[in-house]
Amino acid sequence: MRKTEQLLEMLEHPERYSESQWQEILADDECRELYSMMAKTQGAFAADNVDAEVTDEMIDAEWQRLSSAPHKKAEIAPLWHKISAAAAIVVAFFGITIAAVQTNFFGFVQSKEKSENDTETTVKEERTEVTLDEVTIEQITDTIATAEPHLYDNVPLEQILNDLAARYNVTVEYRNADARSLRLYYEWQPDYTLDKVIEMLNNFESFTIQREGNKLIVESSQEGKQ
Amino acid sequence: MTDKKLQIERLFRKHYRAMYRLACILLHDGDESKDIVHDVFAQLLANDALLGEATAEAFLLSCVRNRCLNEIRNRKTHERVKQLFMLDEDLEYTSPEELETEIKALHVGITKLFPPICREIIMLHFAEGLTFREIAERMGVSETTIYKHLRGALNQLRQTLKNAEQ
């Protein structure tokens, strides 16, 4: 039997085959190309349905669902996992000029709503204006916050800890590398003490953070620590 | 209602269709796509920043795309194939413009499929959701015959896309 025929047969009952069987068949160039066309064709047909499906009523209903849902911000310290394979995705984001305010305390970037000649440079801040043609989506979503609480949505632990380490003037040490890329949802408030932050982050089961003086030690807990 | 919420509602109504369409192209599923668009706006509501009107569409579509790609990348191969999600090598070429160009080319390609049974199989499987076995039964031929024509159809479509690239 040709491999491609086998692929189509497998697609008829995808659940009957294991991960390794799928990887094996899709390692074949011809099969991968065929699968790729199946996926694209499916996408094209999915797009077709959209025009009929999206009505003003649907948009209204979805807006209601959104605006009546509890605001993430209003919740008290929501903590849950969003662990995903790390993927730095670069998006083209054209013609945006933002003023980056580099503070030595939390590395926020503020969007440039303020006028050029405002004079709140009394703090020792260094202001640089940059034009960005390409920014990573993480930079957009994760630095969009202003000086107050900071929301990390789907951000790698390493990046969160880098911010926090600078904020609390401590260093971070990783016992094993896999914890770095764990992605988390975490809301930081300016009034949190370092110990409070550690306690909150330790609610995530996939890693533990210990404090030793001015050092945070991060260990992933695959071995089933409770 | 705050100014910010009003602005977000305006953006929501203006860009919903394009955002939902992009999610559907990538995820092939209406409910999941609704959730993706929902999450993008929920995050906007939770943040303090206002979006510039001129760049809002590009930004919103980027957010949708990124969430979809994360959704896809988080799944192992055997989970992806159930929903005919793209494999990694195709995920790079999924800017909204690239996808729309491909879709246009595919639609033209589908109308030109030859022999007609190729087109018929594509329509029955992708538009009507019939399994290969059901198509075989309906046409009174073997599944092997269906596979052969389906391969033929997909190869023609691939050629169409190649030609469209040039």
Side-chain angles (χ1 to χ4, degrees):
Chain A
M1 194 183 358
R2 286 180 63 168
K3 266 209 157 162
T4 48
E5 190 176 327
Q6 194 191 338
L7 170 74
L8 293 173
E9 230 176 67
M10 285 169 75
L11 282 173
E12 186 92 316
H13 299 287
E15 70 287 351
R16 291 186 190 167
Y17 302 88
S18 69
E19 174 72 11
S20 56
Q21 283 172 309
W22 276 111
Q23 288 191 0
E24 191 189 326
I25 190 121
L26 290 170
D28 179 84
D29 288 345
E30 208 186 338
C31 286
R32 220 169 43 246
E33 281 180 359
L34 201 70
Y35 178 86
S36 164
M37 285 314 301
M38 290 283 289
K40 287 178 177 177
T41 309
Q42 185 80 53
F45 278 91
D48 270 3
N49 297 331
V50 169
D51 292 333
E53 196 189 340
V54 180
T55 56
D56 288 346
E57 288 74 35
M58 173 189 163
I59 296 178
D60 275 339
E62 283 298 299
W63 173 253
Q64 284 312 318
R65 179 162 83 102
L66 179 76
S67 55
S68 61
H71 234 244
K72 274 180 185 169
K73 248 193 152 173
E75 292 169 24
I76 301 159
L79 281 175
W80 64 85
H81 295 235
K82 279 197 179 175
I83 299 169
S84 56
I89 301 153
V90 179
V91 295
F93 199 68
F94 299 106
I96 301 167
T97 310
I98 61 165
V101 182
Q102 292 173 334
T103 72
N104 57 356
F105 97 163
F106 210 26
F108 288 123
V109 177
Q110 295 184 327
S111 79
K112 190 198 166 201
E113 302 286 31
K114 290 179 180 143
S115 66
E116 296 293 353
N117 51 5
D118 67 5
T119 48
E120 41 136 27
T121 37
T122 42
V123 205
K124 2 173 186 55
E125 289 175 349
E126 195 189 324
R127 170 175 265 198
T128 30
E129 196 173 300
V130 284
T131 304
L132 298 185
D133 286 324
E134 281 196 338
V135 236
T136 68
I137 189 68
E138 283 167 11
Q139 283 167 339
I140 298 170
T141 53
D142 298 324
T143 52
I144 215 157
T146 51
E148 254 78 277
H150 191 66
L151 181 72
Y152 296 94
D153 189 356
N154 201 20
V155 178
L157 178 65
E158 185 171 25
Q159 195 181 327
I160 299 176
L161 288 183
N162 284 348
D163 281 357
L164 296 173
R167 173 74 179 86
Y168 295 102
N169 199 20
V170 292
T171 56
V172 187
E173 184 185 311
Y174 295 87
R175 284 279 152 84
N176 28 34
D178 32 341
R180 291 173 194 257
S181 54
L182 293 172
R183 285 171 176 264
L184 310 177
Y185 182 97
Y186 178 64
E187 189 173 325
W188 178 83
Q189 301 282 349
D191 60 338
Y192 288 167
T193 62
L194 179 58
D195 288 326
K196 164 104 177 156
V197 171
I198 294 172
E199 186 194 323
M200 290 173 84
L201 287 174
N202 277 334
N203 285 333
F204 291 96
E205 281 166 11
S206 356
F207 59 87
T208 46
I209 302 175
Q210 281 180 325
R211 182 177 177 184
E212 281 179 14
N214 281 338
K215 198 197 282 178
L216 302 182
I217 296 166
V218 188
E219 202 162 354
S220 67
S221 40
Q222 311 293 29
E223 274 72 56
K225 230 180 203 173
Q226 288 302 308
Chain B
M1 217 181 334
T2 61
D3 281 356
K4 194 186 99 186
K5 197 164 178 193
L6 280 173
Q7 190 217 17
I8 290 178
E9 179 170 3
R10 202 169 58 241
L11 291 172
F12 187 93
R13 295 186 182 279
K14 187 169 170 194
H15 300 295
Y16 191 89
R17 180 178 291 267
M19 292 169 75
Y20 178 70
R21 178 179 166 94
L22 176 61
C24 284
I25 292 169
L26 291 165
L27 298 180
H28 313 153
D29 179 274
D31 287 338
E32 282 193 60
S33 299
K34 279 180 196 165
D35 285 346
I36 293 277
V37 180
H38 178 98
D39 291 348
V40 169
F41 279 102
Q43 188 176 358
L44 276 188
L45 283 170
N47 279 332
D48 290 324
L50 290 169
L51 286 185
E53 292 284 338
T55 50
E57 181 168 22
F59 175 75
L60 292 170
L61 288 176
S62 294
C63 292
V64 169
R65 174 173 180 263
N66 282 300
R67 280 178 188 268
C68 290
L69 296 202
N70 271 339
E71 198 61 43
I72 295 174
R73 287 200 168 102
N74 282 344
R75 304 200 198 182
K76 294 193 158 174
T77 310
H78 75 275
E79 291 167 324
R80 287 194 201 182
V81 293
K82 285 182 197 160
Q83 283 160 286
L84 280 178
F85 283 169
M86 286 183 180
L87 301 175
D88 285 345
E89 58 192 30
D90 284 328
L91 287 179
E92 315 235 337
Y93 310 100
T94 48
S95 73
E97 299 79 24
E98 282 168 318
L99 289 172
E100 292 296 344
T101 311
E102 268 189 2
I103 287 171
K104 236 183 234 165
L106 279 175
H107 281 315
V108 176
I110 289 166
T111 60
K112 291 183 181 162
L113 287 174
F114 189 84
I117 190 175
C118 285
R119 181 169 182 275
E120 221 174 309
I121 291 171
I122 291 281
M123 296 307 288
L124 287 174
H125 183 68
F126 290 101
E128 293 187 33
L130 264 60
T131 65
F132 302 135
R133 173 192 283 268
E134 287 166 342
I135 298 172
E137 277 167 9
R138 185 185 284 208
M139 291 183 170
V141 296
S142 70
E143 280 165 73
T144 313
T145 308
I146 299 296
Y147 294 148
K148 190 184 88 183
H149 288 302
L150 181 62
R151 266 200 315 257
L154 294 170
N155 283 334
Q156 288 174 51
L157 292 178
R158 195 174 68 224
Q159 203 53 48
T160 309
L161 289 189
K162 257 192 198 154
N163 295 341
E165 261 174 37
Q166 285 153 14

